[in-house]
Amino acid sequence: MQVVDLDRETVKRGLSDGTMLIIDVREDHEYEAGHIPGAVSHPLSTFDPQAVAALIASDGRRPVLSCGSGVRSVHALMAARKAGLDISEHYKGGFKDWYAAGEAIE
């Protein structure tokens, strides 16, 4: 399985130009405490590939999975790929990298 690690600058560009959909796989309480602006919550503990597929199809932007530090997003990538979804990118540094850099959060 191919996993493409994206860095913060790549994520910022994708959000800025409107081409990237960040799918946050952290748990609800983590997401609610702060998340990357515009990120959509789909916790790994209840990860539903069909719901993610429907989101991607209706949204049309390039899907990128994100979590706290880049571990759970890889697990979500594996689950998505196993279900037949064509997702290979994740934000390697995740929310911890984003927050530590002083980027805006919601």
Side-chain angles (χ1 to χ4, degrees), residues 1 77-85:
M1 177 186 87
L77 273 174
M78 289 188 292
R81 295 296 293 232
K82 186 175 180 180
L85 297 175

Side-chain angles (χ1 to χ4, degrees), residues 45-58:
S45 64
T46 58
F47 193 75
D48 178 356
Q50 291 179 341
V52 171
L55 170 66
I56 293 167
S58 68

Side-chain angles (χ1 to χ4, degrees), residues 14-61:
L15 290 172
S16 177
D17 67 17
T19 61
M20 189 175 289
L21 170 64
I22 301 296
I23 301 171
D24 191 327
V25 300
R26 296 176 302 147
E27 296 306 308
D28 288 332
H29 69 278
E30 294 172 288
Y31 179 85
E32 290 165 9
H35 56 272
I36 296 169
V40 177
S41 178
H42 276 275
L44 182 59
S45 64
T46 58
F47 193 75
D48 178 356
Q50 291 179 341
V52 171
L55 170 66
I56 293 167
S58 68
D59 186 277
R61 292 178 286 169

Side-chain angles (χ1 to χ4, degrees), residues 58-80:
S58 68
D59 186 277
R61 292 178 286 169
R62 168 180 160 202
V64 174
L65 299 180
S66 179
C67 64
S69 63
V71 175
R72 287 177 283 180
S73 55
V74 171
H75 290 290
L77 273 174
M78 289 188 292

